Amino acid sequence: MADPELGHLPGLSSSYLDIGNKPETSPAGSGRSSPSINTGNGAGEQEERENGSTKFIDDIDEPESPNENSPIVHRYLTFETELPTPINTRATLNGDSSEPPPELPSLVKFTSPFEWSSSRKSFITWLSCIATAITAATAGAYTPAAQQMQNEWDVGTVPILVGVTTFTTGFAFAPMVLAPFSEINGRYPVFIATGILFAVCQVGCAVTQSYAGMLIARFFSGVGGSTFSTMVGGVVSDIYHTADRNTPMALFSGAALFGTGLGPLVCGFIAEYTSWRWIFWLQTILCGTIMVAIALFFQETRGSILLSRKARKLNKWYERREDAGYYGVTMPSESDPEKSVPQRIRWKVKSDEERSSLATMIYISLYRPFHLLLTEPVVFWFSLWVSFSWAVLYLTLAAIPLVFTTNHGFSISEASAVFAAMCVGALLSTVLSIYQERLAARLGKLSATPEGRLYFPCVQSGLLPVGLFMFGWTCAPSVPWIVAAIAIAVATMGIFSVYLAVFNYLADTYHRYASSALAAQSFCRNILGGVFPLITTQMYRGLTFGGASSLLGGIAILLTLVPWILVFYGPRIRARSKFASEIMHSGA
């Protein structure tokens, strides 16, 4: 996700702070964008220099209408700025003319995303979540093809599963580099560019004739697909205020877990009854379809980008008016708000000036997440908590086929069908998360502090160790297979709770540093998630199925203490944090 806090860093461009209280003017026709203070609708004190003397427009009894020789005043534009009334009296240029002034262009598409209609927000959210589910499915869809690929390339189980690891590695690193491009160009072009890469790499996986080619294609597939997971959280933040964010974030989290189960569920049948290459051809079709949908229907959600486009649109309109001989707008006078003064103006956006160079932004995007990870206890422990939970999720990609083919004699398709339990768990958790928060709000039990986000996860995250212990000791041949499948659904509900709690708590605690904190947990989560499938077979065979699951369940119990500690000591811990305390004291 793009880093919204970049403009607050020391050393970045902040010349607007040193200008004083006067809007700076540019000579007529210079086209220079001079830094200025945004004074809303006030005109400020504009200087006119004539014959070496200085006079102020506010001091003139009858101010002259602007013309081509009048200076241009640059003002900051916000979504709340009320556009001034244009002057429709045509300046005399080579005789009078009756040519009408150009019409104001439509600015509807530059409306603040926070002000979009509920139906428009819902459509963008659902489209983004479908893309997230398809991307998540790509990670797990690989494992049903493992046996066929082993036979074709004569490699072992672990080397084949490295394809999962390379995918998650691309998932981990790419967002840190791509985030600044989202900051500069917006969400839409980054989605399109990475989506094309994602679809092309699926073709590469389908046609490759070598093991090495598969690993390379999987890595770049992870790079391309990463934005449809990491940046969707940013899309939600773009269009929903904090108080309204729980439902879309629950849908996003549910889509990620649902897709992880859906991939192997569907592709297990493809692997058993057709060639493994059809697994990747199916993904190519799905990726291509969602990319067409995004290209046609997704709309830019990043507010700063829309505001910059609005400023450029208005400035071009002013230029067309001036080309037709119509100069200036009427601005309220600062000295007397009841009076208006004529001015030639151009709009600019503060975020454009605050933005650093691309190289600096990439450096910060790479550096700050690890700095927070190593210096902020909250970021470290939450990253460890969610990383372990995600690792367990990815471990099931190898554990379910191993356990159900060994103990219950399932075929590939039958073992893959067990992943339906993961999908069911994700759906139940999503619905529960949405309605429990609404119920708490209705009863007045919803706390406004970041710790208020942890009350439900404190209890529900306990489902992860419960599910792990239950799976380990009910997967024996003597126990009906459905019991172990239920255990998988229970563990998935616990993972969902952890995933959503980490996103919400870090976002509420670190505000403008939230994208860096979330990038830290995302990196750890995907790296550890990619490693666990490599050790699953050895661990489950070496420790026995029950012993391995019990070990994981014990670790999960210990990490379940993390939200409880923050519920009781969170404010004290945040007060001692350099970044979080800065947010608390500034009220940001």
Side-chain angles (χ1 to χ4, degrees):
M1 280 177 241
D3 217 352
E5 71 271 17
L6 292 173
H8 299 271
L9 296 176
L12 300 187
S13 173
S14 56
S15 58
Y16 66 91
L17 296 173
D18 302 318
I19 302 300
N21 294 321
K22 297 180 183 177
E24 189 171 314
T25 60
S26 300
S30 68
R32 179 172 62 91
S33 293
S34 305
S36 60
I37 292 295
N38 183 5
T39 57
N41 297 326
E45 295 178 332
Q46 177 185 330
E47 295 185 7
E48 283 189 353
R49 300 188 181 277
E50 296 182 357
N51 300 323
S53 62
T54 301
K55 56 184 178 181
F56 297 92
I57 282 182
D58 288 353
D59 296 333
I60 301 176
D61 293 332
E62 295 182 1
E64 299 177 358
S65 296
N67 55 49
E68 70 272 17
N69 297 317
S70 301
I72 296 175
V73 180
H74 297 270
R75 294 187 174 275
Y76 286 123
L77 180 68
T78 69
F79 285 117
E80 292 74 32
T81 300
E82 184 177 347
L83 297 182
T85 304
I87 297 173
N88 289 326
T89 302
R90 190 176 188 273
T92 302
L93 295 172
N94 300 321
D96 294 329
S97 172
S98 59
E99 180 185 353
E103 292 291 330
L104 175 67
S106 174
L107 302 175
V108 174
K109 63 181 179 180
F110 306 119
T111 304
S112 168
F114 289 123
E115 303 302 322
W116 288 357
S117 65
S118 296
S119 59
R120 186 177 177 185
K121 289 182 179 181
S122 296
F123 177 78
I124 293 296
T125 301
W126 278 103
L127 181 61
S128 302
C129 288
I130 291 171
T132 297
I134 291 175
T135 304
T138 303
Y142 176 87
T143 52
Q147 187 61 55
Q148 289 187 39
M149 289 189 288
Q150 285 179 245
N151 297 336
E152 183 165 334
W153 293 321
D154 194 26
V155 294
T157 301
V158 173
I160 282 295
L161 291 177
V162 170
V164 176
T165 308
T166 56
F167 181 87
T168 58
T169 302
F171 236 74
F173 281 100
M176 296 186 180
V177 179
L178 294 173
F181 291 94
S182 165
E183 174 103 353
I184 296 171
N185 302 307
R187 313 286 188 197
Y188 182 85
V190 175
F191 276 151
I192 296 299
T194 56
I196 292 173
L197 175 65
F198 187 41
V200 168
C201 288
Q202 298 300 340
V203 176
C205 291
V207 302
T208 183
Q209 299 298 317
S210 68
Y211 168 68
M214 175 61 75
L215 296 186
I216 294 171
R218 286 287 290 178
F219 173 79
F220 286 104
S221 177
V223 170
S226 64
T227 55
F228 296 102
S229 178
T230 55
M231 260 181 24
V232 169
V235 169
V236 170
S237 299
D238 289 341
I239 62 180
Y240 290 99
H241 292 291
T242 302
D244 305 320
R245 215 170 279 167
N246 181 70
T247 294
M249 282 303 298
L251 292 173
F252 163 60
S253 303
L257 270 70
F258 182 85
T260 304
L262 184 65
L265 169 62
V266 173
C267 294
F269 290 90
I270 297 176
E272 181 162 338
Y273 297 107
T274 65
S275 166
W276 64 267
R277 296 185 186 275
W278 269 105
I279 290 177
F280 297 102
W281 285 123
L282 174 63
Q283 293 177 63
T284 301
I285 294 170
L286 292 175
C287 294
T289 302
I290 193 64
M291 277 311 305
V292 170
I294 288 174
L296 293 177
F297 303 117
F298 186 85
Q299 296 169 305
E300 182 57 58
T301 63
R302 191 164 183 82
S304 61
I305 298 298
L306 293 174
L307 199 59
S308 296
R309 293 175 183 174
K310 182 177 181 179
R312 289 196 295 269
K313 191 80 170 180
L314 285 170
N315 291 341
K316 287 180 180 178
W317 178 57
Y318 292 146
E319 291 170 4
R320 290 199 308 272
R321 284 176 52 83
E322 292 176 0
D323 289 341
Y326 298 90
Y327 288 83
V329 297
T330 56
M331 300 289 294
S333 169
E334 278 194 344
S335 59
D336 185 0
E338 299 298 322
K339 294 175 58 178
S340 297
V341 293
Q343 284 186 351
R344 289 180 70 192
I345 67 169
R346 295 291 186 270
W347 298 109
K348 60 181 179 178
V349 178
K350 186 174 292 186
S351 61
D352 291 338
E353 293 184 340
E354 293 176 340
R355 190 176 294 128
S356 184
S357 67
L358 179 60
T360 301
M361 293 171 69
I362 292 177
Y363 168 76
I364 294 171
S365 188
L366 290 170
Y367 161 77
R368 183 177 287 159
F370 295 105
H371 178 69
L372 289 174
L373 185 66
L374 297 176
T375 60
E376 292 287 308
V378 170
V379 177
F380 175 82
W381 286 105
F382 263 62
S383 296
L384 181 61
W385 189 33
V386 74
S387 297
F388 174 79
S389 302
W390 209 247
V392 170
L393 180 71
Y394 273 71
L395 176 140
T396 60
L397 299 178
I400 289 177
L402 173 66
V403 170
F404 283 89
T405 55
T406 302
N407 283 0
H408 297 283
F410 280 15
S411 65
I412 294 176
S413 60
E414 291 171 337
S416 296
V418 176
F419 282 98
M422 186 182 295
C423 298
V424 171
L427 291 175
L428 290 176
S429 294
T430 302
V431 174
L432 180 63
S433 176
I434 292 172
Y435 285 99
Q436 71 187 11
E437 179 129 338
R438 291 180 183 177
L439 177 62
R442 193 178 303 122
L443 297 176
K445 302 295 184 181
L446 201 61
S447 172
T449 65
E451 287 71 33
R453 297 279 196 177
L454 299 178
Y455 295 156
F456 291 120
C458 279
V459 177
Q460 292 169 350
S461 63
L463 293 175
L464 175 56
V466 169
L468 286 170
F469 281 112
M470 182 177 173
F471 177 78
W473 297 105
T474 62
C475 65
S478 58
V479 180
W481 65 270
I482 191 65
V483 179
I486 292 173
I488 293 169
V490 171
T492 301
M493 295 179 71
I495 294 170
F496 175 96
S497 177
V498 174
Y499 186 68
L500 185 59
V502 169
F503 264 84
N504 285 333
Y505 189 83
L506 292 181
D508 290 350
T509 299
Y510 289 95
H511 290 259
R512 63 176 178 264
Y513 301 114
S515 60
S516 291
L518 291 171
Q521 65 82 25
S522 178
F523 176 85
C524 297
R525 176 167 52 85
N526 283 292
I527 290 296
L528 197 60
V531 169
F532 261 47
L534 303 181
I535 63 173
T536 301
T537 301
Q538 294 88 332
M539 181 171 68
Y540 269 76
R541 292 198 185 280
L543 298 178
T544 71
F545 294 164
S549 294
S550 297
L551 173 63
L552 297 172
I555 297 173
I557 289 176
L558 293 177
L559 290 175
T560 302
L561 296 175
V562 171
W564 286 98
I565 293 173
L566 287 173
V567 162
F568 290 105
Y569 302 104
R572 206 178 308 174
I573 294 173
R574 286 188 286 120
R576 296 174 60 182
S577 160
K578 173 186 174 182
F579 291 91
S581 62
E582 177 185 334
I583 301 298
M584 292 171 66
H585 295 149
S586 66

